Amino acid sequence: MRMGGEIEAYCKEENDKEEIVEGREVEDEKMVAKMRYSAAAIGGGFSPPKAVVVGYALTSKKTKSFLQPKLEGLARNKGILFVAIDLSKPLSDQGPFDIVLHKLSGKEWQCILEDYRITHPNVTVLDPPDAIQHVYSRQSMLQVVAELNLTDPYGKVGVPEQLVIKKDSSSIPDSVNMAGLRLPLVAKPLFAKSHELSLAYDELSLQKLEPPLVLQEFINHGGVLFKVYIVGEAIKVLRRFSLPDVSKRELKSSAGVYRFPRVSCAAASADEADLDPHVAELPPRPLLERLAKELRHRLGLRLFNLDMIREHGTRDRYYIIDINYFPGYGKMPEYEHIFTDFLLSLVQSK
């Protein structure tokens, strides 16, 4: 079956490295055969643990950031093998796989995976394509959090007031007024394939924005964002520098739209920074555990992260401003141990 879009690009990049890939696949196949070989065949009288084979379909960029040598080495020591899925061949003809790990877009790839899930019910697909699509749209991704309206003794979790604009930038000021949104507003692309955002200070400047997009009320949060990484039931939280607070005086004296490549990045780690303790304090663990459990169930995902902020001046008012599927786990300390333990738990629970 001919692939389109991102899948074709992926195939082209892989073909450019054909010799390297083929050598790696041969090595993987030999290792799988070796690890699955029964010791009884040579008189040992027992069968060693079967290798856990993880077929992966990732872009070259994602492969490089995620499948780092340390992860692959630790995985091999634990009996886990990562095998590249050949996108030029039928998926059902490859493997056998215990787990399929993927992050490719496109309806064709989605259909291939859905068919594969039906014909291979014992293979765990991380994650179901239909569930992933839900968080690719910023219109729907935060709706789950809003409906959850989580409140407990450790805090309250909500989402900023937001408005979806699908076309006609000239009507944005009127739409904002009708919705009752307060400036400044954060503008993000409607579809979460881009991390770019803009901060609009005045109504006139809103017309400069390019739909389709989502407008969110900007909430002062001390310039610190919490990256909540979720891998199955495991949770890891990192601090990241974010957009600085906007004072009332600054709002009155500022105008225009300011563009940013993204809210946070790996280079903007705030974990070692000398911060106000009230700003730096991580969200309570029990609150995160309950939130993660609810979202795993409602979203149907096991690999995602949350961009979470605490409203400045409060101790227990939190907002989720973004949800990302299969985020950059390579930036997470000790991700190798967390991820390999997770993969083993999936197989052991079958």
Side-chain angles (χ1 to χ4, degrees):
M1 183 180 291
R2 184 178 180 272
M3 307 292 180
E6 185 175 357
I7 300 177
E8 282 188 354
Y10 178 86
C11 289
K12 183 178 184 303
E13 291 175 0
E14 292 302 309
N15 288 337
D16 290 341
K17 308 174 197 174
E18 184 176 355
E19 293 183 3
I20 297 174
V21 172
E22 286 182 353
R24 181 172 182 171
E25 288 178 346
V26 170
E27 181 183 350
D28 286 341
E29 288 173 2
K30 289 180 179 178
M31 185 63 71
V32 171
K34 181 179 179 181
M35 295 182 73
R36 286 186 165 171
Y37 186 77
S38 171
I42 56 174
F46 66 92
S47 296
K50 187 185 77 168
V52 176
V53 182
V54 180
Y56 66 90
L58 308 171
T59 63
S60 59
K61 181 179 178 180
K62 190 68 176 180
T63 300
K64 183 178 180 180
S65 66
F66 175 71
L67 278 180
Q68 298 179 18
K70 190 175 180 180
L71 171 63
E72 289 195 282
L74 180 63
R76 286 180 184 274
N77 289 339
K78 292 184 175 183
I80 302 170
L81 290 176
F82 290 99
V83 178
I85 291 173
D86 187 340
L87 297 173
S88 67
K89 300 177 182 178
L91 184 55
S92 295
D93 292 349
Q94 302 179 60
F97 302 124
D98 298 291
I99 298 168
V100 169
L101 184 66
H102 70 101
K103 191 177 183 182
L104 294 177
S105 61
K107 290 184 178 180
E108 199 163 6
W109 173 248
Q110 184 177 350
C111 290
I112 290 171
L113 270 186
E114 291 291 4
D115 290 343
Y116 183 81
R117 290 180 69 204
I118 294 172
T119 57
H120 296 74
N122 293 326
V123 178
T124 301
V125 175
L126 295 174
D127 270 311
D130 55 343
I132 296 171
Q133 292 302 311
H134 191 77
V135 297
Y136 275 161
S137 169
R138 290 193 166 97
Q139 182 174 9
S140 59
M141 72 162 63
L142 297 184
Q143 187 62 34
V144 175
V145 182
E147 292 172 354
L148 180 60
N149 194 27
L150 193 154
T151 302
D152 71 9
Y154 295 98
K156 183 174 183 179
V157 181
V159 300
E161 293 293 330
Q162 70 175 37
L163 176 67
V164 175
I165 304 292
K166 294 187 176 180
K167 57 183 179 179
D168 189 11
S169 57
S170 64
S171 67
I172 295 179
D174 288 339
S175 298
V176 166
N177 282 326
M178 290 180 62
L181 267 61
R182 295 172 299 177
L183 295 164
L185 295 175
V186 177
K188 302 177 182 181
L190 179 57
F191 299 103
K193 293 182 179 180
S194 171
H195 294 283
E196 293 185 1
L197 61 83
S198 302
L199 189 62
Y201 280 87
D202 65 288
E203 288 187 10
L204 186 61
S205 297
L206 293 173
Q207 299 181 53
K208 300 177 181 178
L209 299 173
E210 298 178 6
L213 52 83
V214 170
L215 296 175
Q216 290 180 349
E217 286 189 348
F218 180 76
I219 296 171
N220 285 335
H221 52 282
V224 172
L225 175 147
F226 303 106
K227 285 278 186 182
V228 183
Y229 290 93
I230 296 167
V231 182
E233 296 185 2
I235 301 171
K236 191 86 172 179
V237 187
L238 302 178
R239 299 180 190 87
R240 290 287 183 264
F241 285 119
S242 180
L243 301 181
D245 290 349
V246 178
S247 66
K248 291 182 179 180
R249 181 178 179 180
E250 183 181 356
L251 181 59
K252 290 180 179 179
S253 60
S254 300
V257 173
Y258 296 84
R259 303 185 187 280
F260 303 88
R262 60 191 304 155
V263 176
S264 64
C265 62
S269 173
D271 284 319
E272 304 299 326
D274 184 17
L275 298 170
D276 180 339
H278 295 299
V279 172
E281 182 182 6
L282 295 178
R285 190 76 185 181
L287 181 68
L288 293 178
E289 289 174 351
R290 182 180 170 190
L291 176 62
K293 181 179 180 180
E294 291 283 357
L295 291 180
R296 280 196 304 269
H297 172 69
R298 291 171 181 250
L299 292 172
L301 299 176
R302 284 171 281 193
L303 299 177
F304 61 101
N305 80 349
L306 310 171
D307 286 351
M308 188 178 197
I309 59 175
R310 180 196 294 112
E311 186 173 358
H312 192 51
T314 74
R315 293 200 62 183
D316 60 359
R317 188 70 175 93
Y318 298 92
Y319 293 88
I320 304 300
I321 58 174
D322 229 340
I323 301 176
N324 304 289
Y325 168 66
F326 200 160
Y329 287 117
K331 304 167 189 174
M332 184 176 75
E334 300 182 349
Y335 89 101
E336 304 92 349
H337 294 276
I338 294 173
F339 212 94
T340 51
D341 287 347
F342 166 63
L343 294 176
L344 290 176
S345 72
L346 292 177
V347 176
Q348 292 164 359
S349 65
K350 289 183 180 179

